[in-house]
């Protein structure tokens, strides 16, 4: 039987985990090197800077492209094969000896992934923690504001629906104020001027999207953050769609809180997101779930919230490697150029227009459909017709899904119907040509 001559020593950090250094030491010491991962990392040879973007990249994803025209990456993303395989490998490794993994290996590997994310987002790792989804991070940030009677929480009416509910839930004694964005708009300055005019002086926190979900607008968050900072207002950026779609530089942005998903445009495993807090506000932040790390520091508060599957967090590392190998700037440029080409193609064929100027879009855009009513067998756009509604939008989306096997959301904005198209590295212009023809075949006008 093997014996050990190691000197007796107490537990380090929190709980009864067998780690040599506390989590706070690991994440704050730049000289600390996490041990090599105990599994084989997945590097797809197709993920390379000379790989042609478009149809070739479909091999990097699990989506059933043979049977579906998939132009809705912006909904729930689509995990890339390397991240899916690496997360599965972590799950299997855990089950081979759960105590070795959970007690001794998990925290150093979590720190490794948080460092990789921090590098990708131009941030210090001490400010980054992982959460299951953007919804969790947004709840944490809004609750950290500790709204009181007389305070206001400000956001735009085009913000995400669940965030509006979070605001109401967190501000039972405070006021929620909405800036009312109406279309058409000419550019980012329209948004900035609206906020300057409508954000009340008693605002304690403002919430802005980096990329709006329903309307696919890239908001001028740098200027919005500066405006809030000049007025002493906490600012939370709901960046659910940002990671992988936009360049992120948290050091220069200077927001108070920033939340983004890993499962959308980064194509990481579902159940992975990033919550970032500026050093000036970290002391106000408390996790929604209190566990062993509570009170031991910002990273410790979040790194362990009970025994569960941590493989999605660790699998993010493979997604980051894939984008670095493909070239992040090259991919973002391809996706933006493609969505602009596609939007122009559709608007020309349908004799309509986009919801907003394409310079306000990244990898998603809204294009107006050539009819108002779908469910009632409507007509071409006509001022005398009643406005469209969400029932009409759902009807058209159902037709695209069931009759044409095209996955593309339909939105109702100010009584008009739009498709929200997404462009990922696996899409080609032919995908949107199919959408063009499908809409023209829907005999409702």
């Amino acid at each position: 039987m093997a014996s050990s001559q190691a000197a007796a020593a107490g537990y380090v950090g929190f709980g009864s985990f067998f780690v040599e250094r506390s989590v706070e030491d690991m994440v704050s010491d730049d000289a600390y090197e996490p041990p090599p991962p105990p599994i084989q990392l997945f590097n797809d040879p197709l993920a390379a800077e000379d790989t042609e973007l478009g149809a070739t990249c479909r091999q990097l994803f699990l989506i059933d492209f043979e049977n579906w025209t998939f132009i809705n990456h912006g909904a729930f993303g689509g995990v890339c094969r390397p991240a899916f395989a690496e997360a599965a490998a972590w799950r299997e490794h855990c089950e081979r000896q759960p105590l070795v993994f959970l007690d001794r290996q998990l925290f150093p590997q979590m720190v490794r992934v948080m460092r990789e994310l921090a590098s990708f987002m131009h941030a210090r790792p001490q400010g980054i923690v992982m959460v299951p989804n953007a919804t969790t991070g947004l709840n944490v940030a809004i609750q950290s504001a500790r709204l009181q009677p007389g305070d206001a929480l400000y956001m735009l009416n085009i913000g995400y629906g669940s965030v509006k509910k979070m605001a109401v839930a967190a501000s039972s004694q405070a006021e929620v104020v909405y800036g009312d964005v109406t279309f058409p708009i000419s550019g980012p300055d329209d948004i900035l001027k609206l906020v300057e005019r409508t954000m009340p002086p008693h605002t304690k926190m403002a919430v802005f999207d980096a990329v709006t979900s329903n309307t696919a607008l890239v908001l001028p968050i740098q200027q919005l953050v500066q405006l809030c900072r000049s007025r002493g207002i906490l600012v939370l950026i709901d960046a659910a769609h940002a990671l992988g779609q936009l360049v992120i530089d948290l050091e220069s942005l200077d927001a108070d809180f920033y939340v983004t998903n890993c499962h959308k445009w980064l194509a990481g495993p579902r159940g992975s997101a990033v919550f970032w807090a500026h050093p000036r506000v970290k002391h106000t932040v408390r996790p929604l779930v209190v566990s062993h790390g509570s009170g031991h520091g910002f990273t410790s508060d979040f790194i362990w919230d009970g025994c569960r599957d941590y493989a999605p967090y660790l699998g993010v590392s493979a997604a980051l490697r894939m984008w670095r190998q493909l070239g992040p700037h090259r991919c973002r440029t391809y996706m933006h150029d493609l969505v602009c080409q596609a939007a122009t193609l559709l608007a020309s064929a349908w004799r309509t227009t986009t919801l907003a100027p394409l310079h306000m879009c990244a990898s998603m855009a809204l294009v107006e459909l050539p009819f108002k009513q779908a469910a009632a067998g409507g007509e071409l756009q006509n001022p005398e017709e009643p406005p469209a509604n969400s029932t009409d939008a759902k009807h058209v989306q159902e037709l695209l899904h069931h009759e044409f096997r095209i996955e593309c959301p339909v939105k109702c904005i100010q009584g008009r119907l739009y498709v929200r198209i997404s462009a990922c590295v696996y899409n080609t212009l032919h995908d949107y040509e199919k959408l063009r023809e499908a809409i023209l075949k829907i005999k409702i006008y």
Side-chain angles (χ1 to χ4, degrees):
M1 179 180 294
S3 62
S4 173
Q5 301 299 318
Y11 295 110
V12 177
F14 59 82
S16 56
F17 296 95
F18 288 80
V19 290
E20 295 180 357
R21 304 184 66 173
S22 73
V23 168
E24 301 303 318
D25 283 346
M26 291 184 209
V27 77
S28 61
D29 183 0
D30 292 339
Y32 170 71
E33 289 291 338
I39 65 163
Q40 180 181 353
L41 301 182
F42 285 77
N43 292 290
D44 195 308
L46 189 62
E49 288 191 355
D50 58 353
T51 295
E52 183 179 2
L53 302 180
T56 303
C57 287
R58 293 180 180 182
Q59 299 173 59
L60 290 169
F61 293 82
L62 284 80
I63 295 167
D64 181 7
F65 293 110
E66 289 187 7
N67 293 297
W68 289 95
T69 300
F70 198 82
I71 46 180
N72 192 14
H73 194 88
F76 300 110
V79 64
C80 63
R81 287 186 182 276
F84 182 84
E86 196 155 302
W90 279 113
R91 288 188 185 96
E92 182 174 344
H93 174 77
C94 172
E95 300 311 324
R96 288 178 180 276
Q97 223 290 23
L99 272 293
V100 168
F101 174 69
L102 294 168
D103 253 357
R104 304 171 187 269
Q105 296 175 336
L106 175 61
F107 291 168
Q109 296 305 317
M110 287 282 292
V111 169
R112 174 181 61 84
V113 176
M114 288 188 289
R115 283 183 169 185
E116 292 171 0
L117 280 162
S119 175
F120 199 79
M121 300 169 66
H122 298 93
R124 294 285 296 160
Q126 295 94 321
I128 279 182
V129 291
M130 300 194 76
V131 289
N133 43 54
T135 299
T136 301
L138 290 163
N139 272 279
V140 169
I142 290 173
Q143 291 188 20
S144 296
R146 294 175 176 80
L147 298 169
Q148 301 295 323
D151 293 335
L153 186 147
Y154 179 88
M155 62 186 298
L156 297 174
N157 65 325
I158 56 175
Y160 196 55
S162 69
V163 180
K164 295 176 183 177
K165 294 186 176 183
M166 295 175 208
V168 172
S171 58
S172 58
Q173 297 181 340
E175 181 184 10
V176 181
V177 178
Y178 297 101
D180 192 12
V181 177
T182 56
F183 297 93
I185 60 175
S186 60
D189 282 349
D190 291 359
I191 301 292
L192 191 59
K193 290 175 182 177
L194 171 69
V195 175
E196 288 175 336
R197 187 174 69 253
T198 60
M199 188 165 59
H202 60 294
T203 301
K204 185 171 185 181
M205 171 178 272
V207 185
F208 299 109
D209 297 64
V211 183
T212 60
S213 179
N214 264 7
T215 51
L217 300 180
V218 178
L219 297 186
I221 59 171
Q222 187 75 64
Q223 294 92 327
L224 291 170
V225 168
Q226 291 170 357
L227 173 63
C228 290
R229 296 284 296 136
S230 72
R231 298 186 182 184
I233 296 170
L234 293 169
V235 58
L236 161 61
I237 302 300
D238 175 3
H241 284 271
L243 186 57
Q245 188 175 184
L246 302 178
V247 176
I248 299 175
D249 189 337
L250 294 178
E251 291 290 334
S252 65
L253 180 61
D254 201 33
D256 293 290
F257 306 98
Y258 191 98
V259 181
T260 187
N261 280 316
C262 299
H263 73 265
K264 283 186 183 283
W265 293 93
L266 192 71
R270 257 168 226 93
S272 57
V274 175
F275 173 79
W276 175 88
H278 194 281
R280 63 175 169 261
V281 296
K282 281 203 303 184
H283 69 282
T284 69
V285 177
R286 297 293 180 269
L288 301 180
V289 177
V290 176
S291 190
H292 291 296
S294 180
H296 287 263
F298 180 71
T299 307
S300 299
D301 273 341
F302 286 87
I303 199 168
W304 176 267
D305 57 8
C307 186
R308 62 177 177 84
D309 183 12
Y310 289 86
Y313 293 174
L314 300 177
V316 167
S317 181
L320 288 168
R321 285 198 307 278
M322 185 189 79
W323 293 113
R324 285 197 172 102
Q325 290 160 354
L326 288 172
H329 175 73
R330 184 172 75 109
C331 292
R332 286 191 297 266
T333 300
Y334 176 85
M335 295 188 296
H336 175 70
D337 289 349
L338 179 57
V339 85
C340 290
Q341 284 181 281
T344 302
L345 172 84
L346 297 175
S348 175
W350 299 337
R351 291 178 291 174
T352 62
T353 187
T354 56
L355 178 67
L358 290 174
H359 63 77
M360 291 190 70
C361 301
S363 304
M364 300 189 295
L366 268 69
V367 184
E368 188 177 358
L369 291 174
F371 39 82
K372 275 189 177 176
Q373 291 183 308
E379 306 287 341
L380 284 167
Q381 291 288 1
N382 186 328
E384 298 180 359
E385 287 294 318
N389 55 43
S390 61
T391 299
D392 301 320
K394 179 177 180 288
H395 179 68
V396 177
Q397 187 166 337
E398 289 276 67
L399 290 173
L400 291 173
H401 179 94
H402 291 291
E403 295 191 15
F404 299 94
R405 299 186 73 81
I406 295 175
E407 197 62 68
C408 181
V410 179
K411 307 293 184 180
C412 182
I413 310 293
Q414 293 179 193
R416 294 176 179 269
L417 299 183
Y418 296 81
V419 286
R420 189 196 70 185
I421 56 173
S422 295
C424 195
V425 290
Y426 53 70
N427 288 118
T428 68
L429 196 60
H430 184 55
D431 295 327
Y432 311 95
E433 292 171 344
K434 291 181 181 179
L435 175 62
R436 175 192 64 192
E437 297 308 309
I439 291 297
L440 293 175
K441 289 176 182 176
I442 295 176
K443 301 298 183 182
I444 65 170
Y445 52 87

